[in-house]
Amino acid sequence: ASTLQETTERAGSNRDLGLIDRKSMIHPFTPLRTFSDGETGGPVVVDRGSGAWIETADGRRLLDGFAGLYCVNIGYGRPEMAEAIAAQAGKLAYYHAYAGHTSEPAALLAERILEMAPANMRRVFFGLSGSDANDTQVKLVWFYNNILGRPTKKKIIARERGYHGATVMASSLTGMRFYHEGFDAPSGPVLHTTVPHHYWGAEPGMDEAGFVAKCVADLEALIAREGADTIAAFIGEPVLGTGGLIPPPAGYWPAIQAVLRRHDILLIADEVVCGFGRVGHNFGCDAYGIEPDLITVAKGLTSAYLPLSAAIVGERVWSVLEQSSDARGPFAHGYTYSAHPTCAAAGLANLDVIARENLIERVAEFAPQFQAAFQDAFAGHPHVGEVRGTGMLAAIEFVADRDSKRRFDLSEKIGARLSAAALEGGLITRSMPHGDILGFAPPLVIDTNDLDFMIEKTKSAIASVFPGV
Ligand code: PLP
């Protein structure tokens, strides 16, 4: 009875909740003043979720075509997740991992991650977000070169349009102007190289192989300009995510890795999106033949039921850290919540679901149908420049003119209007920065009906934004 009463009270206070929120909270990527004053509408109060669907407090059911922020890989509302979290919280919600303390779920999860990771991975350092895990990677890389007596080998190469997070260091790595402007993200130790997007980056007539050669030449030129003895690491997402869902051109990763090896530059694979099944493999590096020295994971590690990330450390870095340890003393890095037992329990339960339901294999099997559905429905539209994707990631990029690849004027806000129109129809998509790009990354559990719904609602959205085309 008390639950019913609570629910009724919650529903009855929705308007107040909106007001409370607007007057209390700063939201990521939300206009501050207009939102706060209620001019943009909202907030959207999301109340519950089940499978690939969420429900708002005012009773709208929406298919979540972006799995939250491509993180709810196993879908919403899993009772086994709630049970695992409750059981651990009841037994031991928290203890720290400093000075050699651990808990059963943390130890087991670290082992489990290493079992799934490439063979050269040796240890796992837990954090809470993709951003803090990338910060950890940079500190590890700097520490490694200090131990090796190479105090100048410190710069990190990231890529234009790469996304690595929003902490001070991670936003510096992120190759997007708006993450830097206004925030003084320190640019000193970070360099950005060419984004491997053939559609926009290739010169006229240049095929994929030619474009890969250009990306490699650009990287070589950057290294030559800066000096390999000043560059510690290269960080990249196996499939570029927030920058536009861009699968690499064939042969890109092996060619890039060869350059890095020649110059003794470590490779950090940012697998925050790709890790744990999104592209039909355990990790994106498995799909593209990369052998990273360090791997960053978050999102799909717990399917976002609780926050958890990890910096996975490979043999090359681990062996140096380990050998220097007697001389250096305890590893001086960590967070109160590193290896949080309840978050680790969520991670284990999530990986159990993934294994029990063969979700990674399922993505590999379903991906051809998923990709073909987008190609068939949208590639021929006069305002579609490119349909691209891999695994269960897909993007449609819109242009004003296909032949000249002329973009729409920014003021037309085509991407935002398309995602708003899809939302009207009950489908959540993501309008990605850097052009008019609609992104799709649903929970890995969607079925054919859900896919049909996504395609139909996207078609209707396009028809409403481009009437008569
Ligand atoms: N790295 C990548 C590739 C991401 O996509 C993200 C988030 O979208 C991050 C890092 C940052 O993760 P978080 O938002 O958990 O800090």
Side-chain angles (χ1 to χ4, degrees), residues 100-116:
H101 293 83
T102 196
S103 63
E104 182 178 318
L108 294 181
L109 182 61
E111 179 190 55
R112 193 76 166 269
I113 291 170
L114 290 176
E115 282 166 8
M116 291 181 77

Side-chain angles (χ1 to χ4, degrees), residues 24-360:
S24 315
M25 201 161 122
I26 295 180
H27 289 255
F29 275 83
T30 302
L32 297 179
R33 207 271 308 157
T34 49
F35 176 81
S36 192
D37 288 349
E39 289 173 22
T40 47
V44 179
V45 182
V46 182
D47 194 46
R48 57 192 62 225
S50 174
W53 294 76
I54 61 165
E55 207 174 306
T56 60
D58 56 5
R60 297 195 64 203
R61 269 191 96 228
L62 304 167
L63 175 65
D64 187 0
F66 215 80
L69 291 171
Y70 28 31
C71 50
V72 189
N73 287 359
I74 62 170
Y76 296 91
R78 294 273 194 170
E80 58 271 60
M81 293 297 292
E83 282 155 21
I85 291 166
Q88 185 60 41
K91 185 179 169 200
L92 177 75
Y94 171 76
Y95 202 75
H96 67 78
Y98 282 58
H101 293 83
T102 196
S103 63
E104 182 178 318
L108 294 181
L109 182 61
E111 179 190 55
R112 193 76 166 269
I113 291 170
L114 290 176
E115 282 166 8
M116 291 181 77
N120 65 322
M121 292 293 134
R122 292 289 174 270
R123 291 292 187 279
V124 173
F125 179 87
F126 286 113
L128 270 296
S129 70
S131 303
D132 76 44
N134 280 330
D135 277 25
T136 292
Q137 302 290 30
V138 172
K139 286 180 76 176
L140 286 174
V141 160
W142 287 344
F143 193 40
Y144 166 85
N145 278 319
N146 285 335
I147 292 168
L148 292 178
R150 309 195 292 200
T152 63
K153 199 166 169 67
K154 295 291 166 56
K155 291 175 195 163
I156 316 286
I157 300 179
R159 297 175 303 172
E160 291 147 15
R161 294 175 65 172
Y163 184 74
H164 302 293
T167 52
V168 172
M169 191 65 218
S171 57
S172 291
L173 297 172
T174 291
M176 299 177 190
R177 205 172 28 83
F178 45 89
Y179 272 85
H180 300 243
E181 277 176 2
F183 289 109
D184 288 17
S187 57
V190 179
L191 307 163
H192 287 102
T193 189
T194 311
V195 55
H197 192 185
H198 180 267
Y199 179 80
W200 289 111
E203 284 149 29
M206 192 181 252
D207 65 8
E208 269 203 356
F211 178 61
V212 167
K214 176 184 161 19
C215 293
V216 167
D218 289 351
L219 178 62
E220 288 276 20
L222 180 64
I223 295 169
R225 193 187 77 205
E226 301 285 330
D229 58 340
T230 73
I231 301 170
F234 179 105
I235 184 166
E237 303 148 85
V239 178
L240 211 119
T242 304
L245 302 179
I246 306 165
Y252 170 84
W253 275 117
I256 293 292
Q257 178 139 47
V259 174
L260 301 177
R261 290 215 167 122
R262 205 157 54 244
H263 295 292
D264 194 11
I265 295 170
L266 296 169
L267 174 59
I268 308 167
D270 184 342
E271 299 262 7
V272 167
V273 169
C274 294
F276 305 104
R278 176 59 60 190
V279 298
H281 295 262
N282 289 356
F283 297 96
C285 56
D286 301 322
Y288 296 107
I290 326 171
E291 290 161 12
D293 300 295
L294 299 152
I295 295 177
T296 308
V297 292
K299 299 189 191 274
L301 174 57
T302 56
S303 288
Y305 276 76
L306 283 178
L308 188 67
S309 66
I312 315 176
V313 183
E315 170 68 21
R316 194 160 155 205
V317 174
W318 168 250
S319 62
V320 169
L321 262 52
E322 189 182 28
Q323 282 157 28
S324 77
S325 155
D326 289 349
R328 294 235 163 203
F331 179 56
H333 175 66
Y335 307 115
T336 300
Y337 301 134
S338 289
H340 194 292
T342 311
C343 301
L348 277 178
N350 171 63
L351 296 183
D352 282 345
V353 171
I354 290 175
R356 195 166 59 241
E357 299 183 8
N358 294 314
L359 284 183
I360 299 178

